[in-house]
Amino acid sequence: MPKPKKRGSNHQRGAGGQPRNVQPFSDEDASIETMSHCSGFSDPASFTEDGPEVDEEATQEDLEYKLKGFIDLTLDKSAKTRQAALESLKSAFSSKILYEFIMERRMTLTDSIERCIKKGKSDEQCAAAGLACLLCVQMGSGIESEEIFKTLGPVLKKIVCDGTASIQARQACATCLGICCFIVTDDITELYSTMECLENIFTKAYQRDRDTNGVSSTHNTVLHISALLAWTLLLTICPMNEVKKKIEMHLHKLPSLLSCDDLNMRIAAGETLALLFELARETDADFFYEDMDLLTEKLRALATDGNKHRAKVDKRKQRSVFRDVLRAVEERDFPTEMVKFGPERMYIDCWVKKQTYDTFKEILGSGMQYHLQSNDFLRNVFELGPPVMLDAATLKTMKISRFERHLYNSAAFKARTKARSKCRDKRADVGEFF
């Protein structure tokens, strides 16, 4: 007769490599303004009217306690537990400024990340690489970050170049390698070495049109894209003489990637071309590209692509991107974008700035705005100056009332509905709208 199951058999277990139930870092934890010397720079939209007072010291201790637990769990025997702990730390690092907390534990975190990348499987390696990016973003450019990169750099390069590792892990490590090098490297030799490592990966995509044996398979395309974007990011901080060499080396080869079947590869190649042209014209105002007519013809075809075998969403995205790329190549123009974060505004007015912003937005996600407000390193990169100090009273005066917000939204909704109705009316005179 089988024994009845004991209650609580699925409770947290730590011995024998059994998985533990790890409670992830939640949005509620992320919303607590704690754990930083910049904790007062909250978004005005998040400031609640007449809300209850929060014991910041208590919430700080609670957050520290949770994060310490996650750091300990990165050494657990269970791979699932380690991965869950890494993901929780990523959520915390992307949503808060934790400089002082991390400074005291940076070597422990570095050792954990190194161990997870070396011995973990694909998903764990991806999570560890993502955490390494956020660790360097938190620490900024300094001696401590250089020590972290000296430890993790060789490990990341080994995974990127390892053909037996999973594509996802190699992709994550390529992105991590580029971002960490961008943040911490003052050594020009290390910068060139990292760029060469990434070049050895994405240049294999050039061979696709020439090699009938399919050396550059579709399976590897995601890796080539990540390596290309990471290399492009590093190119933006290279000395001008090195930029000229790279332009001469790649400008005639990159257009071949515009014919790739993968949409993301076409877009990555197009944006990289726009950035190369921008840098080339900065170094030489009279820069001349021999195959300009052929290139603009390709770009115009992609900007007006109407192939029925492609999804509508893909075609819309491709046309939007390549219209901007074509304008950059032909007219030296860039569509300026404005980014709002709290009471501040940032204008993205060139391809170099766009590439940098898109890279950090990809790893920080929804925490990008908070880091733009509070992270000294990012503010230095985008030339925003020191963080703006706002007290609670100022934040409260900046916040509009709920009734005013309701009136604004109602008016905007009516105006939008009216405009759309006109556009949908077949009898409307098209000429008056354009």
Side-chain angles (χ1 to χ4, degrees), residues 39-250:
S39 61
F41 316 145
S42 58
D43 191 331
S46 67
F47 187 86
T48 56
E49 297 176 280
D50 302 324
E53 292 186 2
V54 179
D55 186 350
E56 291 190 4
E57 186 175 348
T59 52
Q60 177 176 338
E61 290 177 358
D62 182 51
L63 183 58
E64 282 190 11
Y65 180 78
K66 282 189 175 183
L67 294 176
K68 288 175 185 176
F70 293 142
I71 293 173
D72 291 340
L73 289 175
T74 59
L75 304 176
D76 196 83
K77 291 183 179 180
S78 167
K80 288 185 178 180
T81 301
R82 292 195 303 271
Q83 185 182 336
L86 291 168
E87 294 291 349
S88 295
L89 288 170
K90 281 175 60 182
S91 297
F93 286 13
S94 64
S95 59
K96 304 300 300 175
I97 300 296
L98 302 165
Y99 181 82
E100 293 177 2
F101 177 84
I102 294 173
M103 175 65 80
E104 297 174 0
R105 300 163 180 82
R106 65 185 186 280
M107 298 313 298
T108 302
L109 282 164
T110 304
D111 291 342
S112 296
I113 291 170
E114 181 184 15
R115 187 179 293 106
C116 291
I117 293 176
K118 280 183 175 180
K119 299 183 179 180
K121 299 297 182 182
S122 177
D123 292 340
E124 185 180 345
Q125 289 174 314
C126 291
L131 182 59
C133 291
L134 294 168
L135 179 61
C136 287
V137 170
Q138 289 274 351
M139 298 301 297
S141 54
I143 297 175
E144 294 81 7
S145 295
E146 289 179 13
E147 292 174 354
I148 293 170
F149 188 63
K150 282 180 182 178
T151 302
L152 297 181
V155 181
L156 293 169
K157 288 180 182 179
K158 184 177 180 180
I159 297 295
V160 169
C161 300
D162 185 2
T164 61
S166 74
I167 291 296
Q168 291 75 19
R170 295 176 70 191
Q171 178 188 5
C173 288
T175 299
C176 179
L177 186 62
I179 291 172
C180 293
C181 184
F182 177 87
I183 293 171
V184 307
T185 299
D186 285 332
D187 182 3
I188 201 72
T189 305
E190 181 61 36
L191 174 62
Y192 293 164
S193 172
T194 302
M195 292 185 72
E196 184 180 358
C197 174
L198 295 169
E199 274 180 323
N200 291 336
I201 300 299
F202 77 79
T203 51
K204 292 178 182 177
Y206 294 157
Q207 302 174 14
R208 179 176 300 176
D209 294 333
R210 301 195 303 268
D211 195 336
T212 57
N213 295 325
V215 172
S216 182
S217 67
T218 305
H219 182 61
N220 292 326
T221 301
V222 290
L223 172 61
H224 297 156
I225 294 170
S226 295
L228 175 61
L229 294 176
W231 175 86
T232 306
L233 177 68
L234 295 180
L235 184 66
T236 63
I237 60 173
C238 279
M240 280 303 175
N241 59 340
E242 185 67 18
V243 170
K244 288 181 180 179
K245 292 178 184 178
K246 297 300 183 185
I247 289 173
E248 291 174 2
M249 187 185 303
H250 295 282

Side-chain angles (χ1 to χ4, degrees), residues 36 38 41 43 89-99 102 133-140 341-342 344 357 360-361 363-382 384-385 387:
S36 82
C38 301
F41 316 145
D43 191 331
L89 288 170
K90 281 175 60 182
S91 297
F93 286 13
S94 64
S95 59
K96 304 300 300 175
I97 300 296
L98 302 165
Y99 181 82
I102 294 173
C133 291
L134 294 168
L135 179 61
C136 287
V137 170
Q138 289 274 351
M139 298 301 297
F341 47 99
E344 298 179 86
Y357 177 80
F360 284 100
K361 185 179 179 182
I363 63 169
L364 288 169
S366 60
M368 182 65 178
Q369 290 188 348
Y370 180 82
H371 277 264
L372 283 174
Q373 279 186 273
S374 312
N375 189 305
D376 289 331
F377 165 74
L378 279 185
R379 293 185 68 86
N380 184 48
V381 167
F382 293 108
L384 297 171

